[in-house]
Amino acid sequence: MPKALITGITGQDGSYLAELLLDKGYEVYGLARRLSTPNQTRIGALVEDIVLLEGDITDQSSLNIAVQTAMPDELYNLAAQSFVATSWNQAVLTGDVTGLGVVRVLEAVRHFCPDVRFYQASSSEMFGTSPQPLKDEETPFHPRSPYAVAKVYGHYATINYRESYQLFCCSGILFNHESPRRGIEFVTKKISDGVARIYCGKATELRLGNLNVKRDWGFAGDYVSAMWLMLQQDEPDDYVIATGESHSVKEFAELAFDCVGLDWQDYVKVDDRFLRPAEVFDLRGDASKAHKELGWAPKTSFKELVRVMVEADVERYRA
């Protein structure tokens, strides 16, 4: 039975990846921080089927112990301070967790399980304002937030360890991927949750920032399969994972309100408090390499993604 260790297992991607690996017959270990109130909402149904190891991406000794305990065949590093807006207020923390945290995991790998296949969660935010309209693996990075800068550091650290120590290290440059399990601080979940609250009579308006920002949005459940496919290849490499379409925040809101038969213009208010110091206005990815080499393609349309998120939130408020 193959073994996998997932850092960030309690997050959106970690929960979907754990489900995928369990379905494939893996023994799944997950690294989880000790909290006064355990954050297991997304993996509640899986707790009996996985092994949770206490540790923190900022603590080298706990990472060493986790790696030695699991001795995994595959290690997926999904842990991060992953909210772009927060990275402006907590820039040093973001650098420590999202940037240096990658090196700590790689150091544990190098010393204690050098034969493991390692996946690093890189981000489309690394491209920032790079002028190429359709971003692929050769597009230069121009990060526009402390989060994106930290992700660039982790990305290049992964390449460096691959080239310097001959480790099997891959980076998935994933564009935005959403689901009903998305954190409430992210704009897509803020919209679907806000629509559900308005529809269920719990709110009267939804305040958002820049409505014209565009992102390449896919479904997280589709994207974790790409992570797994990367680690099944003969040679390690880096891959862009994206739908190839970009849609604005306004489009997302319009579709979300349509799902419950409401006009978004009656409820959405633009609030300057949600504007960022530096913005990336349009991100769209070219996943041709992943299509060709991994045989991967997204299965969920943008419209279907929005519908699933809204319906899940409406159901939650009705319960």
Side-chain angles (χ1 to χ4, degrees), residues 1-4 17-29 49 73-74 228:
M1 177 185 292
K3 294 190 291 184
L17 179 60
E19 289 176 357
L20 176 74
L21 296 177
L22 287 170
D23 286 344
K24 292 182 178 296
Y26 280 66
E27 183 178 352
V28 177
Y29 293 78
D49 300 316
D73 301 293
E74 298 172 7
W228 179 79

Side-chain angles (χ1 to χ4, degrees), residues 13-14 16-17 20 174 219-229:
D13 292 6
Y16 280 111
L17 179 60
L20 176 74
L174 272 57
F219 173 53
D222 293 342
Y223 283 37
V224 297
S225 64
M227 300 176 187
W228 179 79
L229 285 167

Side-chain angles (χ1 to χ4, degrees), residues 125-142:
E125 290 291 326
M126 301 188 303
F127 293 122
T129 54
S130 183
Q132 186 174 322
L134 203 57
K135 322 297 186 190
D136 61 21
E137 293 79 6
E138 303 304 317
T139 303
F141 298 138
H142 189 154

Side-chain angles (χ1 to χ4, degrees), residues 4-119:
L5 172 60
I6 304 171
T7 72
I9 195 169
T10 60
Q12 170 189 256
D13 292 6
S15 65
Y16 280 111
L17 179 60
E19 289 176 357
L20 176 74
L21 296 177
L22 287 170
D23 286 344
K24 292 182 178 296
Y26 280 66
E27 183 178 352
V28 177
Y29 293 78
L31 188 76
R33 287 181 296 155
R34 186 205 170 277
L35 300 171
S36 57
T37 303
N39 176 25
Q40 298 181 0
T41 304
R42 297 181 181 95
I43 59 169
L46 309 177
V47 167
E48 298 300 319
D49 300 316
I50 61 181
V51 180
L52 289 178
L53 304 174
E54 190 174 290
D56 195 293
I57 202 77
T58 64
D59 180 67
Q60 187 68 60
S61 63
S62 66
L63 293 173
N64 294 347
I65 292 169
V67 166
Q68 291 176 85
T69 301
M71 290 304 293
D73 301 293
E74 298 172 7
L75 197 163
Y76 297 84
N77 184 40
L78 310 184
Q81 189 302 97
S82 58
F83 189 42
V84 174
T86 293
S87 75
W88 292 103
N89 295 326
Q90 300 183 31
V92 174
L93 173 70
T94 300
D96 193 17
V97 174
T98 307
L100 283 174
V102 181
V103 175
R104 294 188 189 101
V105 179
L106 286 167
E107 279 292 288
V109 165
R110 180 168 75 92
H111 289 293
F112 301 109
C113 58
D115 294 328
V116 76
R117 295 189 167 209
F118 175 84
Y119 171 85

Side-chain angles (χ1 to χ4, degrees), residues 235-248:
E235 298 294 332
D237 208 345
D238 306 321
Y239 297 88
V240 163
I241 303 299
T243 69
E245 303 176 6
S246 67
H247 299 273
S248 68

Side-chain angles (χ1 to χ4, degrees), residues 277-297:
E279 185 61 87
V280 178
F281 291 100
D282 193 358
L283 277 176
R284 186 160 60 101
D286 179 359
S288 298
K289 181 179 176 181
H291 299 334
K292 180 180 178 181
E293 298 185 11
L294 304 180
W296 177 87

